[in-house]
C-alpha cells in the first residue's frame, strides 16, 4: 500500500510539473504597429493653382518639440519663390504651421485644410496647397 501511495504521489507531481510547463505566457504576445515611429517622415505634393505648378517635399526628423526638418526639391521654386530653400516645419500651437528658410524666416504659413491638405494663409496671395502624398 505504501508503494502504491508513493507511486500515485509521484504521478500527481509529474503531471503538475508537466501542466505548469505548457502554460500560456502572462504577457500578450500580440505586437501592434498602430503608433507611427516619431522619426517617420511625411511627403507632400505642393501645388500652386495660379501658376499651375507642383513639386514634392518631405517633412523629416524632429528638431524640437514643435519643429521638424523640411526639404523641398529645386523645382519647388516654380511653385512658390524661395520654397526650395525651406528647411524647417514649425507648428505654432494656434493651428498654423510656418515653413521656414535656413535663416528662420517664414516662406509660407499654412493651416490644416480639408482632408489631408494644408492651405497657405500667409502671404495672402499664395494659392499654395500641401497635400499628403504618403
Amino acid at each position: 500500500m505504501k508503494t502504491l501511495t508513493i507511486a500515485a504521489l509521484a504521478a500527481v507531481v509529474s503531471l503538475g510539473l508537466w501542466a505548469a510547463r505548457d502554460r500560456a505566457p502572462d504577457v500578450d504576445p500580440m505586437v501592434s504597429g498602430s503608433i507611427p515611429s516619431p522619426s517617420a517622415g511625411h511627403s507632400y505634393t505642393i501645388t500652386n493653382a495660379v501658376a499651375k505648378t507642383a513639386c514634392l517635399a518631405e517633412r523629416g526628423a524632429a528638431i524640437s518639440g514643435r519643429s521638424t526638418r523640411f526639404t523641398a526639391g529645386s523645382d519647388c521654386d516654380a511653385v512658390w519663390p524661395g520654397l526650395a530653400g525651406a528647411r524647417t516645419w514649425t507648428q505654432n500651437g494656434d493651428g498654423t504651421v510656418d515653413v521656414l528658410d535656413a535663416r528662420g524666416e517664414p516662406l509660407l504659413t499654412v493651416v490644416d485644410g480639408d482632408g489631408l491638405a494644408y492651405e497657405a494663409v500667409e502671404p495672402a496671395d499664395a494659392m499654395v496647397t500641401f497635400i499628403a502624398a504618403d
Side-chain angles (χ1 to χ4, degrees):
M1 181 76 167
K2 196 177 196 184
T3 305
L4 186 58
T5 305
I6 292 173
L9 185 60
V12 170
V13 170
S14 295
L15 181 62
L17 290 174
W18 177 78
R21 185 192 74 208
D22 290 336
R23 278 189 5 191
D26 293 333
V27 178
D28 186 1
M30 185 171 160
V31 176
S32 174
S34 63
I35 301 172
S37 168
S39 63
H42 298 286
S43 298
Y44 296 95
T45 300
I46 305 173
T47 59
N48 184 324
V50 175
K52 297 181 183 170
T53 55
C55 69
L56 291 174
E58 183 154 331
R59 188 174 57 158
I63 299 171
S64 70
R66 61 186 195 112
S67 297
T68 58
R69 295 192 191 288
F70 187 84
T71 55
S74 59
D75 57 340
C76 286
D77 277 341
V79 175
W80 189 257
L83 191 55
R87 297 293 175 260
T88 309
W89 172 281
T90 301
Q91 297 179 354
N92 296 319
D94 62 356
T96 63
V97 175
D98 286 333
V99 178
L100 308 170
D101 64 14
R103 296 180 319 229
E105 297 294 322
L107 299 167
L108 290 169
T109 299
V110 297
V111 66
D112 209 359
D114 293 333
L116 299 174
Y118 287 90
E119 299 171 357
V121 292
E122 197 61 42
D125 62 338
M127 296 297 291
V128 177
T129 305
F130 290 61
I131 300 171
D134 51 10

